């Protein structure tokens, strides 16, 4: 085996690093008052081609989810087809975000926590369609490679549960 092959990171190491980059984006978004969703898209050579977080409040646009924005940025940088790219997202994507990734030709989708877990943690306050990504993939004539549960606890911890009635904490429920 060549030294380069022996030194190449495993898929587990690549996924861990990609998710840490997505977590950094989610934290940046949360610090700006956005829901804590972060995404990074990496091409086949390992180069980051897009990195962003939700911007629904900043843009006043409910479609400004991190995955959709990252796909737009990656397509602007590389062209409309993102074959060979991996999308890292801190949370299982909603149907809109999954479809954007699929239509752009993303090859692999790596996610942290599940939307059902976020919904439970947020006391039902998180407004998302909780359709498991495996269900979406099963309906897809060209399914994506799915890798779930990467840094799941760390991704879920970004969601701050709502306080008891009468508490004055801001909500992060979009």
């Amino acid at each position: 085996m060549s030294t380069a092959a022996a030194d190449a990171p495993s898929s587990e190491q690549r996924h861990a690093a990609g998710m840490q980059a997505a977590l950094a984006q989610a934290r940046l978004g949360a610090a700006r008052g956005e829901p804590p969703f972060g995404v990074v898209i990496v091409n086949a050579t390992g180069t980051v081609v897009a990195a962003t977080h939700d911007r629904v409040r900043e843009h006043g646009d409910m479609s400004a989810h991190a995955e959709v924005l990252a796909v737009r940025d990656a397509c602007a940088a590389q062209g409309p087809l993102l074959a060979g790219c991996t999308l890292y997202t801190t949370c299982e994507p909603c149907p809109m975000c999954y479809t954007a990734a699929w239509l752009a030709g993303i090859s692999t989708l790596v996610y942290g926590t599940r939307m059902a877990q976020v919904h439970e943690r947020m006391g039902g306050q998180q407004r998302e369609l909780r359709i498991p990504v495996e269900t979406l993939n099963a309906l897809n004539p060209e399914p994506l490679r799915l890798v779930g549960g990467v840094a799941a606890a760390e991704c879920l911890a970004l969601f701050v549960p709502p306080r008891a009635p009468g508490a004055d904490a801001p909500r992060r429920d979009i």
Side-chain angles (χ1 to χ4, degrees):
M1 181 182 325
S2 74
T3 304
D7 293 338
S10 68
S11 61
E12 186 175 306
Q13 291 169 321
R14 285 192 316 274
H15 294 335
M19 190 58 70
Q20 287 304 310
L23 278 158
Q25 286 296 317
R27 289 184 190 103
L28 180 61
R32 294 178 175 176
E34 296 287 351
F37 296 94
V39 171
V40 172
I41 297 177
V42 177
N43 69 15
T45 65
T47 302
V48 173
V49 294
T52 193
H53 54 80
D54 264 31
R55 295 178 186 269
V56 295
R57 291 188 174 124
E58 176 187 336
H59 291 187
D61 176 359
M62 292 307 292
S63 70
H65 289 200
E67 296 91 341
V68 171
L69 296 174
V71 166
R72 288 176 186 161
D73 291 348
C75 287
Q78 288 202 179
L81 293 178
L82 302 176
C85 289
T86 299
L87 185 149
Y88 294 93
T89 180
T90 54
C91 188
E92 175 180 44
C94 73
M96 174 182 69
C97 293
Y98 173 89
T99 301
W102 167 60
L103 289 172
I106 292 285
S107 297
T108 304
L109 190 150
V110 179
Y111 64 92
T113 193
R114 289 193 171 274
M115 186 51 69
Q117 293 170 308
V118 170
H119 183 76
E120 182 179 328
R121 180 172 174 88
M122 298 301 290
Q125 300 289 323
Q126 184 66 36
R127 290 185 64 218
E128 293 280 349
L129 294 175
R130 294 178 313 279
I131 301 173
V133 72
E134 292 84 3
T135 300
L136 298 171
N137 220 34
L139 296 170
N140 185 346
E142 301 161 348
L144 284 64
R145 180 171 176 265
L146 301 176
V147 178
V150 176
E154 194 174 353
C155 293
L156 183 60
L158 294 172
F159 291 87
V160 178
R163 298 187 77 187
D168 58 356
R171 286 182 32 199
R172 295 189 179 150
D173 63 343
I174 352 187

